[in-house]
Amino acid sequence: AAALRPGDGLAGPTDQGPLINAAALAKVERHVTDALEGGARVLTGARRLPGEGLFYAPTVLADVPAGALINREETFGPVAGLVRFTTEAEVLDLANVSRAGLAAYVFTRDGARSWRMSEGLETGMVGINTGLISTEVAPFGGVKESGLGREGSRYGLEEYLETKMVCLSV
């Protein structure tokens, strides 16, 4: 994460652009501050970048407390919070306590675990051993406060249709 290059994509090579607005930047700062006050450690980043624009340094936090805002709300910023866990049940409880449910990601070599985790996660999408799960041919959408319904693919098209049953007796 420390090697990522934030910046204006039109001004040269970059890996990460700005946040969408000042409120989004303030939310990232609030989530990081909350995690740090709860005992998290900074591995890299954790600061607004100088200069113009809404840039926040790519951030990795270790030992994030289970109750931290970053675990309960959608941050939508360049922050990865690492939380230690011992059992699958424990990590599912930590993940599912969130009011949001857009996407989750599971990294494992155990095929059976990947199925158990994807079944147990309360999200609209799950990436197994990948962070790139968005494509126009797959349904996109979440659950809980992350939205209702899907867009993309034939499932997204169904959101705009009204099904009508017609029963004909001849």
Side-chain angles (χ1 to χ4, degrees):
L4 292 173
R5 298 167 296 178
D8 179 349
L10 299 176
T14 61
D15 300 304
Q16 173 195 304
L19 281 97
I20 193 165
N21 57 33
L25 180 58
K27 185 176 188 181
V28 168
E29 292 178 316
R30 188 173 71 252
H31 282 196
V32 169
T33 298
D34 175 72
L36 294 174
E37 288 174 351
R41 295 180 298 114
V42 176
L43 297 182
T44 190
R47 69 187 183 289
R48 183 186 296 216
L49 294 175
E52 291 190 34
L54 302 169
F55 295 96
Y56 197 82
T59 299
V60 180
L61 304 176
D63 304 322
V64 174
L69 290 174
I70 199 169
N71 292 330
R72 297 188 326 248
E73 298 178 2
E74 292 175 312
T75 303
F76 285 118
V79 181
L82 307 178
V83 180
R84 291 185 183 272
F85 63 92
T86 306
T87 67
E88 288 179 20
E90 181 185 0
V91 77
L92 283 172
D93 286 344
L94 286 167
N96 291 336
V97 74
S98 174
R99 297 185 323 236
L102 182 59
Y105 306 89
V106 176
F107 292 85
T108 180
R109 292 185 179 117
D110 183 331
R113 173 176 286 151
S114 68
W115 288 109
R116 288 191 306 271
M117 296 301 290
S118 62
E119 178 70 23
L121 286 162
E122 296 171 1
T123 61
M125 303 176 290
V126 178
I128 305 292
N129 297 330
T130 183
L132 301 174
I133 61 174
S134 200
T135 172
E136 74 281 358
V137 296
F140 179 94
V143 298
K144 301 181 187 182
E145 290 183 16
S146 292
L148 181 63
R150 298 292 175 268
E151 60 186 58
S153 80
R154 70 179 183 99
Y155 299 103
L157 185 59
E158 290 174 2
E159 297 291 332
Y160 297 96
L161 303 175
E162 292 291 333
T163 301
K164 180 184 284 188
M165 193 284 280
V166 176
C167 181
L168 175 65
S169 175
V170 184

